[in-house]
């Protein structure tokens, strides 16, 4: 028996770093949405709690450092089943890009094991189990446009999805460590986007008002240290994108376009500047 799960990438339309908590982590407030760029995972049972991960991406670990592996162990312990799992991962989401690929793979693993072994776990059951794997995993379990707070564990789906539009993603040839960004950034230097206004525009289904309020507090740090990220954003706007913003801690920058012809023009123009350029749509779940 095999189970196949789709693991869509996420984007940050708004990301605000509020303050540092007593536990040393930063309180966040974000608007997140999903896009039609996805990994695909195939699950099949194995005996004796074996965990085997096969992937077409040579950069990913296949042991406990992998989010999929961690998720399988969590589900084995929580639901006390003795089977192992064989996972085949087709990787389409860029790694270490600010698009939540590893988190979405983990969320797909929770869903896949739930179906494969008929565990009867609800979304409310799986979300608390997912928090130790990664702060984006709870959102990826919901998989719909949401206000996300805390460390990422508080997910409030919006009354409406993001207005349908085209998304151009550009990932410069570099990787950025999210923990290092949070460790080195200075709170007083950050810009704070208006998350409330962004949320209101989405729920009013006002695309152009939404584009006015995209923002990411982490841009100030990342773009200062990696000027190519700022250059990508500038080029997107110059080529006609309605809005552009960095996703997560970077380095991927996303541009929103209301019309496909405009999105295609932006994507084609950026292909001469970066190798990894994607033109996708938002997912309206």
């Amino acid at each position: 028996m095999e189970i196949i799960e789709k693991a869509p990438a996420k984007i940050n339309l708004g990301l605000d770093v509020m303050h540092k908590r007593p536990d040393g982590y930063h309180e966040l407030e974000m608007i997140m949405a999903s896009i039609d760029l996805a990994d695909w995972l195939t699950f099949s049972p194995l005996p004796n709690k074996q965990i085997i991960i096969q992937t077409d991406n040579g950069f990913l670990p296949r042991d406990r450092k992998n989010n999929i592996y961690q998720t399988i162990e969590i589900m084995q312990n929580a639901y006390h089943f003795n089977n192992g799992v064989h996972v085949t991962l087709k990787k389409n989401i860029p790694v270490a890009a600010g698009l939540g690929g590893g988190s979405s793979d983990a969320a797909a693993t929770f869903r896949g094991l739930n179906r494969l072994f008929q565990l009867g776990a609800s979304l409310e059951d799986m979300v608390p189990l997912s928090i130790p794997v990664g702060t984006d995993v709870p959102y990826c379990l919901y998989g719909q446009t949401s206000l996300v707070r805390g460390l990422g564990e508080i997910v409030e789906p919006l009354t409406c999805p993001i207005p349908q539009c085209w998304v151009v993603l550009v990932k410069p040839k570099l990787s950025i460590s999210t923990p290092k960004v949070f460790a080195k950034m200075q709170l007083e230097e950050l810009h704070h986007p208006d998350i409330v206004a962004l949320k209101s525009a989405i729920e009013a289904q006002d695309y152009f008002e939404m584009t006015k309020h995209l923002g990411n507090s982490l841009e100030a740090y990342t773009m200062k240290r990696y000027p190519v990220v700022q250059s990508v954003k500038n080029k997107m706007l110059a080529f006609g994108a309605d809005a552009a913003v960095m996703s997560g801690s970077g380095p991927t920058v996303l541009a929103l376009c209301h019309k496909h012809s405009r999105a295609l023009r932006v994507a084609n123009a950026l292909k001469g500047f970066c190798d990894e350029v994607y033109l996708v749509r938002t997912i309206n779940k």
Side-chain angles (χ1 to χ4, degrees):
M1 180 182 179
E2 287 187 345
I3 294 291
I4 298 174
E5 282 283 341
K6 182 180 181 180
K10 64 84 183 172
I11 54 174
N12 294 95
L13 301 173
L15 190 162
D16 192 12
V17 182
M18 311 291 285
H19 55 82
K20 198 166 188 178
R21 298 157 38 130
D23 61 9
Y25 292 97
H26 289 84
E27 188 78 13
L28 303 175
E29 193 168 65
M30 303 176 283
I31 300 289
M32 300 170 76
S34 296
I35 54 174
D36 199 21
L37 171 66
D39 296 341
W40 289 90
L41 293 86
T42 303
F43 303 92
S44 56
L46 290 173
N48 305 322
K49 290 195 173 184
Q50 284 180 285
I51 299 174
I52 298 175
I53 299 172
Q54 291 184 319
T55 177
D56 56 356
N57 188 303
F59 295 102
L60 293 176
R62 303 182 191 185
D63 54 14
R64 283 189 174 88
K65 295 178 182 178
N66 187 294
N67 287 1
I68 296 169
Y69 198 109
Q70 295 169 27
T71 300
I72 295 170
E73 288 194 322
I74 286 171
M75 289 293 273
Q76 286 175 331
N77 293 332
Y79 288 91
H80 309 292
F81 58 89
N82 294 319
N83 293 91
V85 185
H86 182 278
V87 186
T88 301
L89 169 64
K90 179 171 177 51
K91 194 72 182 161
N92 297 313
I93 303 171
V95 177
L99 297 172
S103 295
S104 193
D105 292 344
T109 303
F110 278 108
R111 295 192 300 267
L113 298 191
N114 193 31
R115 292 171 56 206
L116 183 65
F117 299 117
Q118 300 180 356
L119 302 176
S122 67
L123 183 61
E124 291 72 21
D125 294 330
M126 292 187 286
V127 166
L129 295 175
S130 76
I131 293 169
V133 183
T135 55
D136 287 338
V137 184
Y139 165 77
C140 293
L141 279 168
Y142 280 86
Q144 62 191 96
T145 308
S146 299
L147 172 65
V148 182
R149 296 182 292 112
L151 300 178
E153 78 279 13
I154 305 169
V155 181
E156 301 175 13
L158 302 193
T159 57
C160 296
I162 176 178
Q164 191 80 61
C165 59
W166 294 91
V167 183
V168 180
L169 302 171
V170 176
K171 181 188 179 292
K173 193 173 287 186
L174 59 100
S175 296
I176 293 174
S177 166
T178 298
K180 286 183 180 179
V181 171
F182 278 99
K184 294 183 178 181
M185 69 180 185
Q186 300 297 316
L187 280 170
E188 60 273 12
E189 297 178 359
L190 303 184
H191 162 73
H192 297 283
D194 191 340
I195 300 296
V196 173
L198 177 59
K199 176 177 179 287
S200 297
I202 293 171
E203 294 188 321
Q205 291 293 280
D206 189 332
Y207 170 80
F208 290 103
E209 184 66 19
M210 177 187 73
T211 61
K212 295 177 185 176
H213 297 291
L214 301 192
N216 185 335
S217 289
L218 301 179
E219 280 190 353
Y221 175 88
T222 299
M223 291 182 175
K224 183 177 180 180
R225 283 149 187 83
Y226 304 97
V228 65
V229 180
Q230 179 72 67
S231 182
V232 168
K233 181 176 178 177
N234 292 344
K235 289 178 183 294
M236 285 175 159
L237 296 172
F239 290 128
D242 296 321
V245 68
M246 189 178 76
S247 187
S249 59
T252 300
V253 184
L254 65 99
L256 299 187
C257 298
H258 201 227
K259 294 182 178 180
H260 179 259
S261 57
R262 182 74 61 85
L264 192 59
R265 186 171 77 189
V266 174
N268 287 337
L270 268 298
K271 284 178 181 176
F273 186 68
C274 287
D275 293 333
E276 290 192 77
V277 179
Y278 305 86
L279 174 56
V280 297
R281 294 214 79 175
T282 53
I283 296 176
N284 283 10
K285 185 175 179 179

